[in-house]
């Protein structure tokens, strides 16, 4: 039980994720605001254009935007809308930002890799996402198994130390 609580305590970690390049771009902010307010496919197209132009924030946001507002048209058109420069948007985002690859849209299909992904997310300044993956790992495995040493280092949040002591 203590292991479960300690894993969830990652949410209290003071680590801060770094701001992605392009997050302060007015065009990115306008597209994101429009997307969230109106589920507008044009906002997704703008994010795709910004991603193609090298805006990292747009590139990382695009796979989620495509889930939020699915592409329209025939299959060929839909597949084209899911790509950035000929690469699937999720793959391009993962290549552009390591935490995106580790998060993998929050997928938890394989419990064996969740602690390692959580450790990577914690190191990348994403304690909330790390906690989600650890919570999934605890739920799926009963917290039986080894944790990566990175989760038990001096740099980890204090409550994570309790996780190790159990």
């Amino acid at each position: 039980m203590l292991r479960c609580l300690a894993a969830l305590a990652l949410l209290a970690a003071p680590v801060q994720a770094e701001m992605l390049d392009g997050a302060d771009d007015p065009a990115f902010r306008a597209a994101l605001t429009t997307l969230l307010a109106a589920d507008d496919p044009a906002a997704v197209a703008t994010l795709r254009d910004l991603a193609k132009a090298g805006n990292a924030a747009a590139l990382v946001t695009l796979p989620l935007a495509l889930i939020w507002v699915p592409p329209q048209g025939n299959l060929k058109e839909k597949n084209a809308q899911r790509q950035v420069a000929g690469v699937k948007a999720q793959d391009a985002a993962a290549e552009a930002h390591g935490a995106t690859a580790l998060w993998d849209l929050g997928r938890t299909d394989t419990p064996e890799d969740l602690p390692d992904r959580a450790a990577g997310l914690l190191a990348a300044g994403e304690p909330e996402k790390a906690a989600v993956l650890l919570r999934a790992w605890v739920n799926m495995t009963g917290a039986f198994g080894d944790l990566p040493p990175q989760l038990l280092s001096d740099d980890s949040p204090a409550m994570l130390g309790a996780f190790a002591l159990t």
Side-chain angles (χ1 to χ4, degrees):
M1 182 65 174
L2 283 175
R3 289 182 78 155
C4 298
L5 293 174
L8 297 177
L10 276 173
L11 289 171
V15 180
Q16 189 76 334
E18 65 183 65
M19 180 78 94
L20 287 172
D21 291 337
D24 57 354
D25 180 347
F28 169 73
R29 290 182 177 267
L32 186 59
T33 300
T34 301
L35 177 68
L36 295 175
D39 298 348
D40 186 354
V44 179
T46 300
L47 287 174
R48 188 177 316 98
D49 292 343
L50 290 168
K52 286 179 184 176
N55 183 311
L59 183 57
V60 169
T61 304
L62 184 58
L64 300 171
L66 289 166
I67 292 170
W68 187 271
V69 181
Q72 299 186 2
N74 64 40
L75 183 58
K76 185 177 180 180
E77 293 167 344
K78 289 178 183 181
N79 286 338
Q81 293 173 44
R82 291 183 179 108
Q83 295 186 9
V84 175
V87 177
K88 289 181 182 178
Q90 178 60 28
D91 294 341
E95 189 175 313
H97 192 265
T100 302
L102 292 169
W103 176 239
D104 192 20
L105 295 175
R107 290 190 179 99
T108 58
D109 302 336
T110 310
E112 297 80 29
D113 71 348
L114 295 178
D116 288 326
R117 286 173 50 200
L121 286 167
L122 185 62
E126 296 285 353
E128 295 86 3
K129 288 180 176 63
V132 168
L133 296 185
L134 280 179
R135 182 174 56 237
W137 177 73
V138 168
N139 286 337
M140 295 169 84
T141 67
F144 291 107
D146 295 327
L147 290 173
Q150 307 92 305
L151 289 176
L152 307 175
S153 73
D154 292 338
D155 296 333
S156 294
M159 284 301 291
L160 199 49
F163 199 69
L165 293 175
T166 61

